[in-house]
């Protein structure tokens, strides 16, 4: 059995939404200290809708495929929906990831949340802090934002 699904290979070799958005409304950067991989997500938001999203991932194939799929899943969606996106849903949309690669999909969930939090912070929008735990309080999945 192949280790990676066709969808993982497709999104790894032909990733969607790669790049950077100038004057992004929200930017989220997270990393995994163990493997050293870093993921950065840029959001363009209009009327609570994610009208554009781009990513830059310095990481493994699963992290790149997860970023690509996650951007596809939140593009054109309301912020509230993007906030419900879990790493499990990203992995499922990719037809699965090997167990030891599930942490790569966690980066995508976290980067999106970090970008939305950045958007809220920049615009003085109130939010429930419990929903956005301080990355520095957590373990290896995070690095500080700029
Ligand atoms: Fe680090 Fe995949 S091995 S994110």
């Amino acid at each position: 059995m192949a280790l990676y699904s066709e969808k993982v290979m497709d999104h790894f070799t032909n990733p969607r939404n790669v790049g950077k958005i100038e004057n992004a409304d929200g930017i989220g950067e997270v990393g995994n200290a163990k493997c050293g991989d870093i993921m950065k997500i840029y959001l363009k938001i209009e009327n609570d809708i994610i009208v554009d999203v781009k990513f830059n991932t310095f990481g493994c194939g699963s992290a790149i495929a997860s970023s690509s799929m996650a951007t596809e899943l939140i593009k054109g969606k309301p912020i509230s929906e993007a906030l419900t996106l879990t790493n499990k849903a990203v992995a499922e949309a990719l037809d699965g990831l090997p167990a030891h690669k599930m942490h790569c999909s966690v980066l995508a969930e976290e980067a999106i949340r970090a970008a939305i939090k950045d958007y809220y912070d920049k615009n003085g929008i109130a939010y429930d802090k419990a929903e956005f735990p301080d990355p520095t309080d957590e373990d290896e999945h995070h690095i500080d934002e700029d």
Side-chain angles (χ1 to χ4, degrees):
M1 198 180 80
L3 189 57
Y4 294 107
S5 71
E6 273 177 35
K7 271 197 190 158
V8 172
M9 292 312 292
D10 176 31
H11 280 263
F12 167 56
T13 50
N14 180 27
R16 281 58 146 186
N17 308 309
V18 175
K20 183 178 176 176
I21 297 177
E22 296 298 337
N23 302 317
D25 297 305
I27 301 174
E29 184 175 337
V30 295
N32 182 307
K34 274 193 189 142
C35 62
D37 291 353
I38 294 170
M39 187 181 294
K40 199 162 179 175
I41 297 243
Y42 301 83
L43 300 176
K44 193 88 205 149
I45 296 169
E46 280 168 24
N47 299 323
D48 275 349
I49 304 286
I50 297 169
V51 291
D52 199 11
V53 48
K54 295 252 188 290
F55 79 91
N56 265 315
T57 292
F58 179 80
C60 73
S62 299
I64 290 168
S66 295
S67 320
S68 171
M69 180 55 86
T71 56
E72 287 286 271
L73 290 171
I74 64 166
K75 204 173 186 173
K77 300 277 164 56
I79 293 175
S80 55
E81 210 176 310
L83 282 172
T84 65
L85 183 71
T86 61
N87 77 295
K88 251 186 108 189
V90 174
E92 271 165 25
L94 287 167
D95 290 339
L97 283 170
H100 69 288
K101 284 287 176 181
M102 279 303 283
H103 78 271
C104 315
S105 62
V106 171
L107 282 183
E109 177 188 329
E110 291 182 342
I112 289 168
R113 294 188 80 80
I116 292 171
K117 180 176 180 292
D118 182 48
Y119 166 72
Y120 285 161
D121 285 339
K122 278 182 177 147
N123 291 278
I125 299 168
Y127 55 86
D128 181 358
K129 291 216 163 46
E131 272 193 62
F132 298 89
D134 182 348
T136 53
D137 286 347
E138 287 203 351
D139 54 19
E140 67 271 14
H141 290 312
H142 296 281
I143 56 169
D144 289 336
E145 287 171 49
D146 293 339

